[in-house]
Amino acid sequence: MKSISIFLLLLCVFEMNAQQTLTLEEAIKTALENNYEIKIAGNIVKISETNISAGNAGMLPKVTATVVDNNGIQNLSQTRADGTVNSLDNAKNNSLNYGVGLDWTIFDGFSMFAKHDQLKAVKELGETQLKQTILMKVSDVTAIYYDLVQQQQQLNALDTTIVISKQRLNLAQNRFTIGKASKLEVLNAQVDLNTDTTTLLRQKELFANTKIALNQQLARDTKLDFKVIPEIKIDNQLLLKNLTELAFKQNLELQKLVVNKRISELQLKQVKGTRYPTVRVLSGYNFAETRSDLGFTTQTSSRGFNYGFSASLNLFDGFNQNRAEKVAKLEIENTQVAIDQQNKTLESQLNSAFQTYLTNLELVQLEEKNEAIAKQNLDITLEKFRIGTITTLEFRTAQLNYINAKVRNTNTQYQAKLSEIALKELAGNLSF
């Protein structure tokens, strides 16, 4: 028996150590390291960064090496001016050309510079998208984490009511034994205990499933068990004015629209660049050799350096230039309209979310008082029930009032935390 006791004690210690407490900071860190959407967005940024180069913008020359070797076997016949006829069967002909050429566009109406800046803007857009993906993931992880916290608090409340229901059942059985209560009172107490147990089991099921959901968000083993912190801390110092100022500077959706407008403006510069002449520098070194079994010249060869330039100017292209510029200008106008719309939407979302935040803060204070009153009422009712001065119905009502007040309090705290998260996400300053 002693060995069995020691074994059970060690098993309990092992289980307690195996279930480590997961803090919100650790959960966010794990999500940022493992999340698949963040990895994809990060790779998109790397692709955009790789595309930023002078060569991709068309600023650097192109150097090409070429080799052309042509061979032929033909039956030839030549008639000269004096009437002499020369013919040869299976005459071999050979032409060999090779060399290196350079083609460099040195001016294209500054389009190459606009494209280089556009590549940088595309990278900035990717970085903003990455930040938004991270922010959304942090928001999701934080919301699920605090959902677990409030569910844990509700489990604690249900555990308490199970203890009270068991006490009530014991009292009813004792009173029935000594003839002071009917069998009906015992049965009612047993039914209420079973009801509370069912509610507890459902809550445990929900708690376990929410743990699985959080593990999925963290991209780790969904069966991994853990504990969460026991309380919800709410930042009750948020000010609408400060949030609004931050939102217009840091809101990531708004920043994406601003970058898109800059990309459209740079696209217009590239389109306008085609109105200017395009100047190219050409150069190369070539070697050429030909051989022929029949003819006045049976072998020729040449080698040397060539250079020059070319210039071209589009004089008329069916009004496509004007059309392209009008389309580019309309794209810029659309991005500005989208920015104005987002500003209005953002302002509306902030005002609405802040009002919800204020309401939830008031409800938190109210529900805390309600829970304290319900607990005090339950304690008094329990004492009266023990001495038999109140009915079982009155006791059950007090018990349910307490558990409902406890659940409302934890849920209100959770809703207030969600309001805080939503405001900080809109303002772009959600910590991670």
Side-chain angles (χ1 to χ4, degrees):
M1 291 296 295
K2 183 177 181 181
S3 300
I4 294 175
S5 300
I6 295 175
F7 173 77
L8 292 176
L9 179 61
L10 292 175
L11 182 62
C12 292
V13 172
F14 175 77
E15 290 179 350
M16 292 177 62
N17 292 332
Q19 192 181 32
Q20 298 294 331
T21 300
L22 177 69
T23 65
L24 178 60
E25 292 76 12
E26 292 171 345
I28 292 174
K29 181 176 181 293
T30 303
L32 297 185
E33 291 175 350
N34 299 340
N35 185 258
Y36 301 114
E37 291 89 348
I38 294 176
K39 290 181 178 180
I40 293 174
N43 286 335
I44 292 175
V45 173
K46 292 179 181 178
I47 292 172
S48 301
E49 186 175 4
T50 304
N51 285 331
I52 300 175
S53 65
N56 195 23
M59 296 179 176
L60 299 181
K62 296 180 180 179
V63 180
T64 307
T66 58
V67 176
V68 179
D69 186 10
N70 290 321
N71 297 275
I73 299 177
Q74 299 173 330
N75 296 328
L76 299 177
S77 177
Q78 294 179 348
T79 301
R80 299 178 180 176
D82 59 1
T84 304
V85 177
N86 292 328
S87 62
L88 180 64
D89 291 338
N90 297 322
K92 295 182 180 181
N93 298 292
N94 173 261
S95 174
L96 176 62
N97 294 273
Y98 61 87
V100 177
L102 179 143
D103 185 351
W104 191 0
T105 301
I106 60 174
F107 182 76
D108 63 350
F110 307 104
S111 294
M112 63 179 72
F113 298 101
K115 184 176 181 180
H116 193 262
D117 291 338
Q118 189 181 52
L119 292 172
K120 293 180 180 179
V122 170
K123 177 197 171 186
E124 184 180 351
L125 181 63
E127 291 174 340
T128 305
Q129 181 62 53
L130 173 60
K131 291 179 182 178
Q132 188 176 42
T133 303
I134 292 174
L135 189 66
M136 292 174 62
K137 185 55 58 178
V138 170
S139 177
D140 292 342
V141 170
T142 304
I144 296 177
Y145 186 89
Y146 281 113
D147 189 16
L148 280 173
V149 175
Q150 66 120 0
Q151 289 182 31
Q152 179 63 63
Q153 292 176 343
Q154 291 180 14
L155 279 174
N156 294 337
L158 290 172
D159 286 336
T160 301
T161 199
I162 289 292
V163 172
I164 295 174
S165 294
K166 287 181 179 179
Q167 291 178 356
R168 174 192 166 192
L169 178 60
N170 291 332
L171 288 173
Q173 289 175 338
N174 293 334
R175 292 169 63 180
F176 174 73
T177 301
I178 62 178
K180 290 187 176 182
S182 65
K183 184 65 175 179
L184 181 61
E185 182 177 337
V186 177
L187 294 176
N188 285 334
Q190 184 65 61
V191 168
D192 290 339
L193 175 59
N194 292 342
T195 300
D196 295 338
T197 303
T198 300
T199 304
L200 178 62
L201 291 175
R202 291 298 184 188
Q203 185 62 41
K204 287 183 176 180
E205 177 189 7
L206 178 61
F207 186 64
N209 289 336
T210 308
K211 278 187 177 182
I212 293 174
L214 181 58
N215 281 328
Q216 182 181 3
Q217 288 286 339
L218 304 185
R220 64 180 190 174
D221 186 3
T222 55
K223 297 179 181 178
L224 190 63
D225 198 13
F226 58 90
K227 295 186 295 183
V228 294
I229 58 175
E231 59 181 345
I232 299 177
K233 295 182 180 179
I234 304 169
D235 185 357
N236 57 3
Q237 303 297 321
L238 299 181
L239 299 175
L240 180 59
K241 180 180 178 181
N242 296 340
L243 291 170
T244 303
E245 292 177 355
L246 287 174
F248 288 133
K249 293 178 181 178
Q250 299 179 173
N251 181 265
L252 295 174
E253 190 64 35
L254 185 59
Q255 287 184 6
K256 284 169 56 179
L257 293 174
V258 172
V259 176
N260 276 323
K261 181 183 178 183
R262 187 155 64 251
I263 291 175
S264 298
E265 292 171 345
L266 292 169
Q267 182 63 34
L268 176 60
K269 286 186 177 181
Q270 293 180 63
V271 173
K272 286 184 175 181
T274 57
R275 287 188 177 274
Y276 296 89
T278 301
V279 181
R280 299 164 57 198
V281 174
L282 306 173
S283 180
Y285 185 86
N286 295 286
F287 171 84
E289 181 181 62
T290 59
R291 295 176 183 271
S292 177
D293 288 347
L294 183 66
F296 291 103
T297 304
T298 59
Q299 180 178 349
T300 61
S301 64
S302 66
R303 68 183 66 193
F305 179 73
N306 61 78
Y307 58 92
F309 76 94
S310 69
S312 62
L313 178 63
N314 180 23
L315 298 179
F316 180 74
D317 63 350
F319 304 107
N320 284 326
Q321 177 68 34
N322 292 336
R323 177 190 57 79
E325 289 185 13
K326 287 181 180 179
V327 170
K329 289 178 181 178
L330 288 173
E331 291 290 346
I332 296 174
E333 183 178 344
N334 280 343
T335 54
Q336 183 58 54
V337 171
I339 290 174
D340 295 338
Q341 181 184 27
Q342 179 61 24
N343 282 330
K344 292 296 183 182
T345 302
L346 186 58
E347 184 178 5
S348 175
Q349 289 175 335
L350 281 169
N351 289 332
S352 178
F354 191 76
Q355 183 58 53
T356 303
Y357 167 76
L358 292 178
T359 301
N360 285 330
L361 289 183
E362 293 181 4
L363 289 174
V364 166
Q365 296 179 356
L366 178 62
E367 294 300 340
E368 285 179 352
K369 294 179 181 179
N370 283 340
E371 181 183 344
I373 293 173
K375 181 64 170 62
Q376 184 179 6
N377 181 57
L378 177 62
D379 293 338
I380 296 173
T381 304
L382 181 59
E383 291 300 323
K384 288 185 177 181
F385 181 74
R386 284 173 178 168
I387 60 179
T389 58
I390 62 172
T391 64
T392 57
L393 179 62
E394 291 175 314
F395 175 78
R396 183 60 177 172
T397 300
Q399 185 183 14
L400 292 178
N401 285 340
Y402 170 70
I403 188 63
N404 290 335
K406 183 71 175 178
V407 170
R408 284 199 311 272
N409 186 20
T410 57
N411 184 258
T412 301
Q413 292 181 27
Y414 176 60
Q415 293 300 323
K417 191 64 182 181
L418 290 182
S419 300
E420 174 198 329
I421 294 171
L423 283 170
K424 291 183 176 180
E425 185 176 359
L426 288 171
N429 70 332
L430 185 61
S431 300
F432 55 85

